[in-house]
Amino acid sequence: MSDIRSFYPNAEQGEDYTVQCIEKLRSDFEFDFERTILATSVCSDEIIRSATNFRDHVALGTPFQLGGLSGFPFTGETGFKAFAGHIPDDGFAIILYGPHIGISNSDQPGMVIRSGQMLESTCCGALMGVVNSFENDKMHEFDEEYDYQQWKITEQLYSSRNDIIKNNQPLIAATDKMFERIDHRIKALLDKTRDHFKEKTIALVGGIIVNTDHGSPDWFEEREFEVHSF
Ligand SMILES: [Zn+2]
């Protein structure tokens, strides 16, 4: 069993976190989960599906997917406007967002053993690719046309490359920086599209998703919790 809190001191098991968050939204913000839709801005990696279980608590639990590689909200203004148009009348939405990182039972940040596999593989592979490109000075190897999302997340972290590669845990540093970029972009997109969210209440739930070896619970470290009524 890996020691998640040695890397993420405020992390909680994903299911425990979800229940606490749902309870807080119900009691403090009067969320009606029969009139609530879920959106995510998380990495494309299928391993993330198990990290939290918000989908089990809300009426419209199949999430609108705002994100792409590493959790950056690639669907942009068009995605936010479309999502806004799907919220139940006078209803509520939860936007769950953030990057993810694997921590294997061998306490290796950036690695997990996946279902059906014997050996550890990288997680988040996209962010690991960014770190490797910074370490090897190969930032320009990603093709803007045919590898757009990887190119874009590399561009987003480029100004932080020295802080990342000098850190003794470069992937953890890159994950922290990526959270800041995602958080900033989600808030900017919400602000740009705010007219589409009239009469709606939106919870922003941001953090680091910590994936573990297949069969072990996943974790979540909350970095942002805000509720906006428009
Ligand atoms: Zn990923």
Side-chain angles (χ1 to χ4, degrees), residues 43-45 48 69-70 100 123-127:
C43 189
S44 311
D45 191 335
I48 292 175
L69 290 182
S70 88
H100 71 130
C123 177
C124 173
L127 275 182

Side-chain angles (χ1 to χ4, degrees), residues 13-30:
Q13 282 197 15
E15 296 215 356
D16 294 344
Y17 176 78
T18 306
V19 169
Q20 290 165 28
C21 191
I22 288 285
E23 209 36 61
K24 184 161 59 171
L25 290 169
R26 194 195 314 273
S27 60
D28 297 358
F29 300 97
E30 298 177 346

